[in-house]
Amino acid sequence: MWWFQEGLCILPVALVLWTTATFIFDYITAVVLRHVDPLVPYISDTGTVAPERCVFGIMLDMSAFLGVATMYVRYKQVQALTDEEESKLHKLNVLGLVLGWTSSFGMCIVANFQKTTLFFMHLVGAILTFGVGALYILVQTLVSLYMQPHVHGKSIFWVRLSIGVWTFASIISMFVSSLIMYSSLPGVDVAHKLHWIPGETGYIPHIISAISEWSLALSFVSFFLTYIRDFQKITLRAEADLKSNHMYDSPHYSITTPLNQSETSPLLAGGI
């Protein structure tokens, strides 16, 4: 059995690889077609113009789905490892699931509402994705803090804390540089500006803002890498609980064959 077949670690692995491939593919396509400048464009700019915006939307929607699945498995794992009397952990766990799914929903908005089409909706999606997503990282870091030392050691907590600091530093940098950029370009439709000339007004804040956005996205990807080892130790199974020995609507139909109440199967196929 390969390492990525152990438990459910295929979920965070697929999430990281698929999301990274989404960013790289759209960047290469947008640059080759000269829709954006090669030097650090915004991630959203690489998925603004057809045809790359079509692929960007589909691939990012898939990333959102993988994110929902990964966060749910994380929620179930913490729930299983937490005693009933640990109410603080249970509340943090539920809060983390809500924040994580909200962030994934924001990713769908970003994928399907381009900044040059509906900028306000795109901005709302970005806030949900990155802002709420940063809170998800914070909550999961606190969960890791409260679960030591009886569940795991301190090392994973410090790793997640470091990524959390990286995430919030990137958000602050992107927010400040974006404010400077927009304030230095009054009357300019920055949302539709895909090409920048070195030395023009707002160029430096734009570069800093774009670098911060890529750094923020990379911090999110790095955080889900910390789930791989944890997910190797968990499996989810689906159990069929039969309420009837037939599938007809008529109550007069019956079969005397006994029900197989103990049937179970893996939630994901492939021997996981």
Side-chain angles (χ1 to χ4, degrees):
M1 178 183 293
W2 295 94
W3 64 271
F4 56 83
Q5 292 180 296
E6 297 180 19
L8 288 176
C9 73
I10 187 63
L11 283 176
V13 169
L15 174 60
V16 168
L17 292 179
W18 185 267
T19 305
T20 303
T22 301
F23 296 151
I24 294 176
F25 178 80
D26 281 288
Y27 170 79
I28 293 175
T29 305
V31 169
V32 169
L33 296 178
R34 298 182 179 179
H35 292 159
V36 297
D37 299 320
L39 183 59
V40 201
Y42 282 118
I43 297 175
S44 298
D45 289 351
T46 65
T48 297
V49 183
E52 60 267 22
R53 74 178 180 187
C54 306
V55 180
F56 182 77
I58 294 174
M59 295 187 71
L60 209 57
D61 283 339
M62 186 62 186
S63 292
F65 172 78
L66 290 172
V68 167
T70 301
M71 293 166 187
Y72 176 72
V73 172
R74 170 64 178 174
Y75 163 78
K76 296 296 289 184
Q77 184 181 45
V78 173
Q79 186 183 48
L81 293 172
T82 305
D83 295 331
E84 293 184 1
E85 60 270 15
E86 296 182 87
S87 59
K88 182 182 295 185
L89 259 177
H90 281 293
K91 291 178 181 178
L92 281 175
N93 194 30
V94 173
L95 177 61
L97 181 65
V98 173
L99 292 174
W101 282 3
T102 302
S103 177
S104 296
F105 175 69
M107 191 181 299
C108 291
I109 296 177
V110 169
N112 297 284
F113 293 89
Q114 291 79 29
K115 58 182 288 191
T116 55
T117 305
L118 288 173
F119 179 72
F120 175 75
M121 286 300 300
H122 186 85
L123 183 61
V124 169
I127 292 173
L128 291 177
T129 302
F130 292 128
V132 178
L135 294 179
Y136 172 80
I137 292 177
L138 175 62
V139 168
Q140 290 301 326
T141 302
L142 290 176
V143 169
S144 299
L145 173 64
Y146 291 126
M147 291 181 72
Q148 60 172 325
H150 59 286
V151 176
H152 58 69
K154 294 183 178 181
S155 58
I156 192 64
F157 161 71
W158 287 111
V159 170
R160 288 172 180 162
L161 179 61
S162 300
I163 296 175
V165 172
W166 175 13
T167 298
F168 281 95
S170 299
I171 289 177
I172 294 173
S173 175
M174 185 173 65
F175 179 74
V176 173
S177 56
S178 296
L179 282 180
I180 296 174
M181 179 184 64
Y182 276 91
S183 62
S184 63
L185 295 169
V188 177
D189 189 1
V190 181
H192 288 77
K193 187 175 176 59
L194 302 180
H195 297 278
W196 295 77
I197 301 174
E200 70 174 314
T201 303
Y203 179 77
I204 297 300
H206 159 72
I207 291 296
I208 296 175
S209 178
I211 292 176
S212 300
E213 185 186 42
W214 281 94
S215 173
L216 180 58
L218 184 59
S219 71
F220 273 59
V221 170
S222 299
F223 181 80
F224 286 106
L225 285 175
T226 67
Y227 281 174
I228 292 178
R229 188 181 65 177
D230 294 347
F231 277 37
Q232 287 178 328
K233 300 176 176 65
I234 184 173
T235 58
L236 293 179
R237 301 184 68 86
E239 179 177 348
D241 186 12
L242 301 179
K243 302 299 184 182
S244 174
N245 59 358
H246 62 83
M247 299 182 68
Y248 290 89
D249 293 332
S250 174
H252 302 291
Y253 184 84
S254 63
I255 297 178
T256 57
T257 304
L259 298 178
N260 182 14
Q261 295 286 2
S262 61
E263 195 279 335
T264 60
S265 58
L267 189 62
L268 295 178
I272 296 177

